[in-house]
Amino acid sequence: MRHQFTHPDGRRIGALALFRSPAGHPLMLRKRNRHGLLWCLPGGCAVGGESALTALRRKVLEETGLHATPGLLLVEHYMPATAGQAEGHNLIFDCGKLSPEAEVRLKDSEFSEFAFIDPDQLADAAQPHTAARVQAALYVHKIGGGAVYLEGAARPLVP
């Protein structure tokens, strides 16, 4: 068991941003070159030695040109390994409301468009796991819940 603590199996950590319109609709990005339901939240996977918050800021800037200011952790979604994907934890952080003047500059090679999707339309726009994550994040935000995400031994994130 001690070996598992010092040399754990590899796991994927995804860090996703929940930006909302003034009406409360989540900002979603339409993936390019994929079939089926293509909308997702901005963000992506951490690389070796990178914290979830660092990954979130990096990926959101790469994908949208936006500077994310993560607040409360709204959702942690565990996904077991499948034949095509490693086991992982997907974290959704509240990144606040975007003003109508905010400039979203998409990474053209990865995304074709962005939209603020009505929460009632998520099931028709995204993969079931994505829709469930976003609905859960919107719910936790609505009820005023969430959790503070801490990094390392001595650097708490306190809004």
Side-chain angles (χ1 to χ4, degrees):
M1 184 60 105
R2 187 163 184 85
H3 178 73
Q4 269 295 2
F5 185 75
T6 58
H7 297 89
D9 295 332
R11 288 182 178 85
R12 187 179 41 75
I13 297 173
L16 304 168
L18 178 66
F19 289 103
R20 291 166 283 106
S21 69
H25 298 177
L27 174 69
M28 305 288 286
L29 309 180
R30 187 176 181 93
K31 291 184 181 182
R32 201 178 277 286
N33 303 323
R34 295 223 181 144
H35 302 289
L37 303 172
L38 308 170
W39 293 91
C40 64
L41 290 173
C45 290
V47 295
E50 185 177 48
S51 75
L53 293 178
T54 300
L56 176 84
R57 290 181 187 106
R58 176 180 58 80
K59 290 299 293 180
V60 168
L61 185 61
E62 286 174 8
E63 293 175 354
T64 67
L66 298 171
H67 292 277
T69 303
L72 289 177
L73 172 63
L74 299 172
V75 172
E76 178 180 356
H77 184 192
Y78 171 75
M79 294 290 286
T82 65
Q85 187 168 310
E87 171 188 36
H89 294 265
N90 296 280
L91 309 171
I92 300 178
F93 292 91
D94 183 10
C95 289
K97 287 188 180 177
L98 281 180
S99 73
E101 295 81 31
E103 185 181 346
V104 177
R105 293 183 316 273
L106 291 180
K107 182 177 181 181
D108 288 336
S109 62
E110 197 171 344
F111 302 101
S112 60
E113 64 182 306
F114 69 91
F116 289 99
I117 305 231
D118 185 311
D120 294 334
Q121 302 302 313
L122 286 170
D124 295 328
Q127 295 286 346
H129 64 271
T130 298
R133 284 179 196 154
V134 177
Q135 290 285 10
L138 291 169
Y139 173 75
V140 171
H141 180 269
K142 179 180 176 180
I143 64 169
V148 174
Y149 179 77
L150 302 177
E151 287 185 348
R155 294 178 294 180
L157 170 69
V158 180

